[in-house]
Amino acid sequence: MFENKITQVKKSTLSQNIVQQIMELIMDGTVSPGEKLPNERQLMELFGVGRSTLREAINALVAMGLIEVRVPEGTFVSESFSSFFTKHLKLMSKVSFNNIEELIEARIAYECDLVSLAALKRTPKDSMELDNVLTKMAQEQDNEQFLLLDLEFHNLIAKMARNSFMNEVLFILLDIIKEWMHRVIQNYPVKEIAFDHHKKIAEAIKANDPDRARESMYEHLHEVSKILLSNLDK
């Protein structure tokens, strides 16, 4: 089947070597997010390659979301690498539906920690924003809009936890898992269950009770995840 479509790999191309080196410079902190890279001529001299080879490498890094080209300013390391990890995780999740179980485990672990922090750090303004989202959820009839409000509720909790790294990771997980959530939200009783769970979570946060918030979040995610997995088997 693949005999005439794949050639044996003998060695890395020059552009692949450049990609690898720049990735290592980014990952080990030699160059920081938002930092400008040397101009094209300087990079050609540093790597000892021609313009076409360098541009091939730059295009690959742009596609991965690690760098961005701003005309006429130059080439910069991306401020956020979420798109790089999102693309990688999305590819992993599409290779096998078994990966959804690992994504669910990761989500539960992260959100239970996040909601505990949110309960400890919440402000009066945070409480008002939670109530505002819940009010909208109670009134929303459209499935797609309800799903967006559901995601907004969870992202708001992550924001309330005031941990930028954990917030970024959750954003990636939710961005991937929402593809499967679309299947579940079509079932009306699921919306009622989700809304009741959200109210319990919000009440625990507003009471500054991290243990109850964690328990409520675990109950919610465990329950909706069971429904999600049962729907995937159909």
Side-chain angles (χ1 to χ4, degrees):
M1 181 177 180
F2 295 105
E3 288 81 0
N4 299 320
K5 296 185 178 181
I6 296 177
T7 58
Q8 291 185 349
V9 177
K10 295 181 179 179
K11 61 180 180 180
S12 298
T13 64
L14 291 173
S15 61
Q16 289 172 334
N17 188 285
I18 294 171
V19 168
Q20 185 63 38
Q21 288 195 60
I22 293 179
M23 285 181 65
E24 290 175 359
L25 291 173
I26 293 172
M27 297 307 177
D28 69 14
T30 301
V31 287
S32 305
E35 185 175 339
K36 184 178 181 180
L37 295 177
N39 63 39
E40 186 176 71
R41 183 174 296 279
Q42 291 173 317
L43 287 173
M44 288 166 56
E45 293 176 356
L46 287 168
F47 288 111
V49 297
R51 180 174 283 105
S52 62
T53 298
L54 178 65
R55 289 185 176 178
E56 183 181 344
I58 294 298
N59 288 336
L61 290 163
V62 169
M64 287 189 283
L66 289 175
I67 66 173
E68 54 188 60
V69 177
R70 306 175 197 164
V71 180
E73 293 93 339
T75 304
F76 297 79
V77 177
S78 296
E79 293 283 356
S80 170
F81 303 137
S82 61
S83 63
F84 171 73
F85 293 110
T86 300
K87 289 175 184 176
H88 178 63
L89 288 172
K90 277 185 176 179
L91 178 60
M92 287 174 59
S93 66
K94 289 176 181 177
V95 170
S96 169
F97 277 100
N98 291 332
N99 289 68
I100 188 64
E101 295 184 10
E102 295 180 13
L103 286 171
I104 288 170
E105 288 178 356
R107 183 188 179 189
I108 291 175
Y110 257 88
E111 289 214 61
C112 285
D113 285 343
L114 280 168
V115 78
S116 296
L117 290 173
L120 292 171
K121 298 180 180 180
R122 70 95 184 163
T123 65
K125 182 181 178 182
D126 292 332
S127 297
M128 292 176 61
E129 290 181 350
L130 278 177
D131 288 339
N132 184 46
V133 175
L134 287 172
T135 298
K136 292 179 181 178
M137 291 181 76
Q139 299 170 349
E140 187 58 63
Q141 299 298 316
D142 182 77
N143 289 336
E144 294 301 316
Q145 291 302 314
F146 186 90
L147 175 58
L148 292 177
L149 289 168
D150 189 312
L151 293 170
E152 182 181 344
F153 181 87
H154 287 276
N155 282 320
L156 178 58
I157 290 174
K159 178 183 173 183
M160 291 166 58
R162 292 172 174 82
N163 184 302
S164 58
F165 180 78
M166 294 179 72
N167 192 0
E168 190 81 5
V169 173
L170 180 67
F171 177 80
I172 294 171
L173 291 173
L174 291 180
D175 188 51
I176 299 167
I177 208 169
K178 70 182 179 183
E179 295 183 19
W180 285 283
M181 291 171 67
H182 281 286
R183 303 186 185 196
V184 176
I185 207 66
Q186 306 306 321
N187 188 337
Y188 183 74
V190 173
K191 291 197 294 185
E192 289 185 319
I193 293 170
F195 180 70
D196 288 341
H197 288 173
H198 283 66
K199 285 197 298 183
K200 290 181 180 179
I201 293 168
E203 288 168 2
I205 292 173
K206 290 188 290 183
N208 296 112
D209 189 334
D211 292 333
R212 181 153 61 96
R214 176 184 286 273
E215 291 173 4
S216 298
M217 180 64 78
Y218 179 84
E219 178 188 1
H220 167 56
L221 295 179
H222 183 69
E223 187 68 26
V224 297
S225 295
K226 285 196 301 182
I227 298 172
L228 170 58
L229 291 172
S230 66
N231 273 263
L232 290 179
D233 293 332
K234 295 179 180 179

